[in-house]
Amino acid sequence: MAAMSSADQIAGLENVGLSYDGGKNFILRHVSLTLHKNEFVALLGPSGVGKSTVLRVFMGLTAPSEGRVVLSDEAGKLPQEKTKRRKQALVFQDARLMPWRTVAQNVAFGLEGLHLTREEKTSRVLQALKLVGLEQAAERWPRQLSGGQRQRVGVARALTVDPDLLLMDEPFGALDPVTRLNLQDELLRIWEQTHKTVLFVTHDIEEALKLATRIVVLSGSPAGIAGVLEVPENQKDPLSEAFRINSARLRAMIAGEADPGGAPYWYSGQI
């Protein structure tokens, strides 16, 4: 992985392809994507297209067969033994909490291996729990939490390592609609407070339009980037005509059809 030269770039994929059988069949092909500081990017596409795989490539959990992953070096300037933060953190679809650990202990799990004092770890955990509104639940056990609260713990665990890039793999997909809407609002508040770069995987068009400043569509077989839609703040009202038009554009991208609106912020192919 190479260091990036542009000051506002956090991470990127350059012409990435992924095959598990030596190149006979590709899951991803020719995927290029750049993520910038403080932006909220939704990776949108149908179930099974490879969105979660893209997150695994960014995390370094899966090595690409072609191309390369590019990361900023801001989190890597200190020697490994002095590192106090991580470049990336991943929030899963289910919180994956350890039932034998309290809420605070689950949040602290991500700090293991970092060069932090006990006081620094405690401070990080309490700050993260306060950010997600669970500071009063620090000593509870996972079984005592609702589904939405467990997901908040997962977000807190990711934030406590102070990542440059927060990767989220359909974190609200298993929740009921009311809880899901509430956590979407909470996530936007957290993003605005922390200024993290977020890459959020979803197959829900309305969720992508509500949350993201930019939506990247992954489709096809092998999967590639079909297009990107910039989402200005004044186009996020689900009752607006702009929201309806953008929904139609995203459906067209996913289906591989022509853009029905011809908007200037539609781009086809690599980004």
Side-chain angles (χ1 to χ4, degrees), residues 90-243:
L90 178 60
V91 179
F92 299 95
Q93 185 172 20
D94 60 86
R96 301 192 182 186
L97 304 184
M98 290 166 279
W100 59 88
R101 286 181 177 237
T102 65
V103 166
Q105 290 168 344
N106 268 283
V107 173
F109 179 73
L111 299 176
E112 295 181 7
L114 296 183
H115 190 76
L116 296 167
T117 65
R118 178 178 298 180
E119 291 75 18
E120 287 173 324
K121 289 180 180 179
T122 299
S123 176
R124 291 263 198 110
V125 169
L126 292 178
Q127 287 175 5
L129 285 174
K130 184 176 181 180
L131 191 61
V132 301
L134 286 178
E135 63 270 32
Q136 302 303 320
E139 298 308 314
R140 292 184 189 174
W141 301 96
R143 65 177 181 273
Q144 297 174 305
L145 305 179
S146 67
Q149 289 173 325
R150 287 194 291 271
Q151 284 304 94
R152 289 170 189 257
V153 175
V155 173
R157 181 175 55 198
L159 290 173
T160 196
V161 303
D162 192 21
D164 291 325
L165 176 59
L166 182 61
L167 303 162
M168 309 190 77
D169 191 3
E170 299 195 64
F172 310 144
L175 301 175
D176 66 84
V178 173
T179 302
R180 183 171 185 162
L181 289 173
N182 288 338
L183 286 186
Q184 288 171 357
D185 292 337
E186 285 294 296
L187 178 59
L188 286 175
R189 176 186 60 79
I190 290 168
W191 172 63
E192 289 169 356
Q193 286 186 234
T194 63
H195 307 292
K196 297 297 182 185
T197 299
V198 177
L199 180 59
F200 185 99
V201 161
T202 182
H203 61 268
D204 187 314
I205 289 175
E206 290 191 359
E207 182 171 64
L209 285 170
K210 176 180 179 178
L211 294 175
T213 57
R214 182 163 58 111
I215 299 172
V216 177
V217 174
L218 195 70
S219 68
S221 182
I225 294 176
V228 60
L229 188 72
E230 303 286 346
V231 188
E233 189 62 34
N234 62 2
Q235 295 184 6
K236 291 184 175 294
D237 182 354
L239 300 179
S240 67
E241 180 69 7
F243 194 96

Side-chain angles (χ1 to χ4, degrees), residues 38-94:
N38 306 336
E39 72 171 338
F40 196 124
V41 178
L43 185 59
L44 177 69
S47 296
V49 76
K51 303 184 298 297
S52 297
T53 303
V54 170
L55 295 192
R56 290 181 62 84
V57 172
F58 266 117
M59 278 294 295
L61 301 175
T62 299
S65 307
E66 300 176 342
R68 64 174 187 156
V69 183
V70 190
L71 299 175
S72 73
D73 62 358
E74 290 187 9
K77 292 179 180 178
L78 291 173
Q80 183 61 39
E81 66 272 14
K82 297 296 185 183
T83 298
K84 295 191 174 186
R85 54 194 300 268
R86 301 191 192 280
K87 293 181 181 180
Q88 310 113 286
L90 178 60
V91 179
F92 299 95
Q93 185 172 20
D94 60 86

